[in-house]
Amino acid sequence: MEKLVVYGGKKLSGTISVQGSKNSTLPILAGALLAQGEVVLHNCPLLTDVNAAVNILKSLGSRIKRENNTLIIDSTNITTSVIDENLMHEMRSSIVFLGALLARTGKAELSAPGGCEIGLRPIDLHLKAMRELGVEINEEKGNLLCVAKNGIKGAEITLAFPSVGATENVILAATAGEGRTILINAAREPEIKNLADFLNSCGAKIYFAGESTIIIDGVKKLHGCEFNIISDRIVASTYMAAAAITGGEMEITNFPVRDIQPVLDIFNSGGCIINSDETSLHIKAPERLHLSGTIRTMPFPGFPTDFQAPAMAMSTVSELTTIFIETIFESRYKHVPQLKRMGADISVEGTVAVVQGVKKLHGATVYAEDLRGGIALVIAALAAEGKTDVINLKHIDRGYEKIEDNLRRLGAEINREVY
Ligand code: UD1
């Protein structure tokens, strides 16, 4: 087993170029199944979740080569519509292969996905939308047997909630549908636009008609393409948090700054000075943050639930009190007991967490329960007095590329050790 050992108290400074977006790469890898011909994807992050998606593609018959952060995928010969249960369980996002397989083969046989550390995460919206596209679905002992007997039929679909994954599944399936699909109340996360841009580069016809309506005109066949994945807005925000909590100064480059607008507001209100252009920003933090007010997670363009935990880590050492309201997931405060072990003053009631800033956190042994909660512990450890051991790194490795190398280059005292 591995752990991160952090000696806190060092001000971070320097330049960091942001890795490719995990949440774009995963649906785009599923989308590569639709293309007959070579797909060249640049800026793919080296992460265990990306490996899991690659393994699913390989099991379906795709041929894949990796050259550093570039993946070259040829899905011309797909040999099966069945995804093995073990592969499905490796990550929750494997559910996007449902829409992709239906689009490519008219069938999909898979089990319910894994990776449910932050709440129930049902897939009812995905299944309802697939049925509306003419797919027959039988659920047997946790297995989903899905068949589009007469092909996928364009339809008007309204999502009850703008689910990111359900939106991606509809886009993927409807791309191979007959006629037009109109998706209303679709998710508006930047990763959705990135998926549509990728599929359009392969010959799909996907249009954004207003803020949350997406129109998809089905096409018969997709071809290969060369495509750049966008950089990860949550990782960019995380490095900002590392600078902010240590009173440091950082240049964060190579990402679309407009995608983190809701996050920029809290850094500004916490006393950070930020100068930015379209693809990079410079952040200079005050000696002590004065984050305060209420942070309510919302679908994009609201405050991202994925940055709730790192923002909470920052708020633990603020001069003031911050209130968090988690509206997206029902169980996303697993980092709270761990932050409390480090001396944080946090009380939780239901979906509300009240964080009374303390002067200093202290080192402790803490357990990463999920991806963003795990990185929040690393952020807190950077500012804590003494030594922190962050254990159970498998979650952090799902989303952060070379995390300890990058933080060390920025001045942190952090190492990965075997225990
Ligand atoms: C994606 C992101 C994840 C992010 C989340 C919300 C990826 C790989 N993951 O996850 O990092 O935290 O968006 O921004 O892109 N729901 C239902 N029924 C459904 C589908 C969803 O009730 O059929 C609920 C979920 O339980 C959750 C909420 O809707 O409470 C949001 O889920 P969703 O937007 O689908 O998130 P994911 O696509 O799983």
Side-chain angles (χ1 to χ4, degrees):
M1 300 269 268
E2 290 181 328
K3 63 180 178 178
L4 287 175
V5 179
V6 186
Y7 289 90
K10 305 278 183 306
K11 281 187 190 217
L12 265 53
S13 69
T15 301
I16 178 87
S17 170
V18 179
Q19 71 184 55
S21 163
K22 167 178 87 71
N23 288 357
S24 277
T25 305
L26 301 177
I28 288 175
L29 284 175
L33 202 56
L34 275 64
Q36 301 193 42
E38 196 172 81
V39 167
V40 180
L41 293 177
H42 300 294
N43 206 26
C44 296
L46 301 166
L47 301 169
T48 50
D49 266 11
V50 172
N51 293 341
V54 163
N55 288 339
I56 290 177
L57 276 174
K58 282 183 179 165
S59 77
L60 296 170
S62 303
R63 292 213 316 259
I64 305 188
K65 276 190 288 183
R66 182 194 279 282
E67 288 168 10
N68 301 317
N69 289 91
T70 297
L71 285 172
I72 304 158
I73 303 150
D74 190 336
S75 304
T76 308
N77 297 310
I78 293 303
T79 49
T80 174
S81 303
V82 183
I83 303 182
D84 180 78
E85 195 180 339
N86 294 326
L87 290 172
M88 279 304 283
H89 282 173
E90 270 181 46
M91 62 166 180
R92 151 90 188 172
S93 328
S94 47
I95 193 65
V96 283
F97 279 89
L98 170 60
L101 263 177
L102 283 166
R104 182 61 199 277
T105 68
K107 284 187 292 189
E109 191 178 328
L110 33 83
S111 57
C116 303
E117 303 85 14
I118 57 177
L120 259 177
R121 304 185 95 173
I123 54 166
D124 53 321
L125 301 174
H126 301 243
L127 300 186
K128 181 168 182 285
M130 291 304 115
R131 286 187 168 114
E132 285 169 338
L133 289 169
V135 178
E136 269 178 39
I137 303 177
N138 287 307
E139 297 177 56
E140 268 175 29
K141 295 183 196 149
N143 273 338
L144 299 169
L145 307 172
C146 312
V147 189
K149 261 191 195 141
N150 303 311
I152 291 163
K153 304 277 179 230
E156 185 172 312
I157 299 173
T158 302
L159 293 179
F161 176 84
S163 153
V164 172
T167 299
E168 291 165 347
N169 258 330
V170 171
I171 291 175
L172 287 161
T175 285
E178 191 187 313
R180 171 166 285 193
T181 295
I182 302 175
L183 179 62
I184 298 162
N185 200 28
R188 294 155 62 187
E189 271 66 4
E191 294 77 22
I192 303 282
K193 169 85 172 45
N194 211 214
L195 171 64
D197 287 346
F198 163 72
L199 292 169
N200 284 343
S201 301
C202 296
K205 293 192 170 148
I206 304 163
Y207 319 95
F208 289 84
E211 291 187 333
S212 48
T213 300
I214 302 177
I215 295 176
I216 306 128
D217 283 332
V219 294
K220 287 225 151 60
K221 204 170 166 183
L222 293 190
H223 50 73
C225 76
E226 186 164 355
F227 189 77
N228 276 314
I229 300 219
I230 47 167
S231 294
D232 197 307
R233 61 195 165 102
I234 305 299
V235 171
S237 310
T238 303
Y239 283 109
M240 289 179 78
I245 202 168
T246 59
E249 190 168 351
M250 218 182 269
E251 186 83 24
I252 301 170
T253 63
N254 178 39
F255 76 103
V257 174
R258 64 174 184 280
D259 290 348
I260 63 161
Q261 197 54 47
V263 164
L264 284 183
D265 295 343
I266 70 152
F267 284 98
N268 283 320
S269 75
C272 298
I273 298 166
I274 295 168
N275 287 303
S276 63
D277 57 28
E278 277 177 22
T279 56
S280 65
L281 66 73
H282 182 268
I283 176 169
K284 183 169 174 17
E287 274 309 308
R288 187 169 175 197
L289 287 168
H290 42 265
L291 215 64
S292 66
T294 301
I295 295 176
R296 182 189 297 267
T297 64
M298 295 290 279
F300 193 85
F303 189 90
T305 174
D306 284 350
F307 196 59
Q308 176 255 107
M312 190 179 290
M314 287 197 290
S315 72
T316 61
V317 289
S318 168
E319 277 181 71
L320 303 165
T321 301
T322 314
I323 296 169
F324 289 83
I325 306 176
E326 174 56 60
T327 75
I328 308 292
F329 290 103
E330 82 272 23
S331 175
R332 212 167 192 182
Y333 285 140
K334 289 193 174 157
H335 45 285
V336 168
Q338 307 299 322
L339 289 171
K340 285 169 92 165
R341 293 168 76 100
M342 302 173 76
D345 179 350
I346 309 172
S347 49
V348 174
E349 215 177 302
T351 56
V352 179
V354 179
V355 186
Q356 177 79 59
V358 294
K359 254 200 165 136
K360 273 276 169 211
L361 296 175
H362 53 77
T365 296
V366 286
Y367 187 85
E369 298 255 18
D370 59 74
L371 166 55
R372 308 299 170 186
I375 201 68
L377 304 178
V378 176
I379 298 295
L382 294 172
E385 245 164 19
K387 179 186 177 217
T388 299
D389 286 347
V390 181
I391 58 176
N392 199 30
L393 300 185
K394 67 173 193 245
H395 295 300
I396 296 176
D397 291 338
R398 287 180 39 223
Y400 290 87
E401 198 179 73
K402 299 182 191 149
I403 185 68
E404 68 275 18
D405 295 347
N406 287 337
L407 289 173
R408 203 177 316 107
R409 260 197 319 105
L410 293 164
E413 202 175 332
I414 178 168
N415 281 302
R416 186 179 286 251
E417 290 180 7
V418 176
Y419 69 101

